[in-house]
Each structure stands twice: as structure tokens, then as C-alpha cells.
Amino acid sequence: MNIVKTHGLTKRYGEADVVSGLDMEVAEGRVYGFIGPNGAGKSTTLKMLLGLARPTAGEIELFGKPFNSRTRAEILKDIGSLIEAPSCYGHLTGEENLEILRVMLDLPRKNIDEALSIVRLENQRRKKVSAYSLGMKQRLGLAGALLSFPKLLILDEPTNGLDPAGIQEMRELIRSLPEKYAMTVIVSSHLLSEVDRLADDVGIISDGRMKYQGPLDKLHGHDESRSLEEIFLELTGGRRSL
């Protein structure tokens, strides 16, 4: 089953198509790496999947249901997201930030404990967020995205601010989510080597259009010596900037 399916998805600003006729399919229980050069339309696509931007044309289906103004509120209950920098109150502790979100979403108190444990912030829960490092703030944002234990998790650059050890920890965490919590994960990242280690499937977008979509191992084909970066540059016309 496809958790996410779009048909002809288009977003136009003025006369420019930022996303153009995008057909995207994300299978249930998979980690889907979404990559492309700067300005390719990645963030705009993710925002449309979350109802933060309205499509100019095309259709979105989430969990097999049309995603529109009538179904938006109900569908979003099953989606967690971390888009751009996490938004936190610096004068509050990590736990207090999550408590605000928990009350808004009407979730059990135990969800905070479990989410903090997953991102390994349980020992920093009573520290004010203003004293958090950038990496800790990123992990707190992820805890907020996990708080409802959603069916679909959408992450835009989840390793921002993390050192190499933190990146590896985040990779292992994301890889565990489908099996441990039955989540489907979409990850947008500029770290191609991480996507190569992380994703089951990959979507490569350039100039608002899908250049490749499918299993990562199929993309590599029979030549496993070719890196994802080499294939990416070939598909996107040699544009390195992500």
C-alpha cells in the first residue's frame, strides 16, 4: 500500500513552476529518501503534503484518502513532521515544550517519556532549551514529531547541527522506526552518503520534476561501485548544490 501518492502535483509562484507534474509514491513501512539540488522543489513538496502550501494543480492521497480542506484535519492526526529548524520556547525546559504539544494534541503523558527516551534526551528533560546545543534542539524537535507516534513521519534535514556521532545515531534511530513503531518515513537530506545508508527507496527531484523514483538498490543497478552522488549528478545534469 502507498501511504503517499501524488498525481500531477504542481506548485506555481507567479509564472514559475517550483513543482511540476510530480508523481510521488511512498510505500508503507519504508524509509523514502527525497533528494535534489537547491531550489528543486523538495521543501515545497513536503509543505504541500502537510497542508502548509496549497497545490496549484494535481492531487494528493494520504493513507488512501484524498488530502483536501475537508479531510486535512483528520489526516494530519496521523502525520508527524520536522520541517526546517525546530520551533521551541527557550525559557522552558525540553519537557515543558513537549508538554505544551502534548496538551494541544490531547495525548497520554507517557508519550513524553517515550519520545524523550527514543531521542536520548531523558537526562536533559529539565534543562532550559536556551542551554541546549543545536543538535539537542534538533533531537527535541524530532521528539515533538514523534510524540503522537504517527503513521507517517516527514523529516526535512533531520541531521542539521549534529556531529558525526549524532548523525550515525539519528540514522540508526530513523532506520528503526518502521519496524519498531510501524512508521513510514520521508527524509529530505543534502547528505547523499547518509541517504545511501538510510533509505529503502529514493526520489530524485530536479527543476520540480521527478528524475528517478524507486528502490535504492535498483538505482545502483549492477554497478555497486557507483556512489549515489555520481548517479545524482548524472540525473540532475551535474548540479552539486543541494
Side-chain angles (χ1 to χ4, degrees), residues 13 42-54 67 83-84 154 156:
Y13 290 107
K42 299 188 302 295
S43 293
T44 300
T45 299
L46 298 184
K47 287 176 180 177
M48 287 191 283
L49 296 182
L50 290 166
L52 300 175
R54 180 175 295 181
F67 184 58
I83 302 292
E84 298 172 346
I154 297 177
D156 192 8

Side-chain angles (χ1 to χ4, degrees), residues 6-46:
T6 73
H7 178 68
L9 189 62
T10 299
K11 181 62 179 177
R12 184 176 299 117
Y13 290 107
E15 295 184 0
D17 283 356
V18 178
V19 176
S20 182
L22 196 72
D23 294 340
M24 183 180 191
E25 295 185 356
V26 181
E28 184 175 13
R30 307 277 281 182
V31 177
Y32 183 101
F34 194 41
I35 57 178
N38 277 337
K42 299 188 302 295
S43 293
T44 300
T45 299
L46 298 184

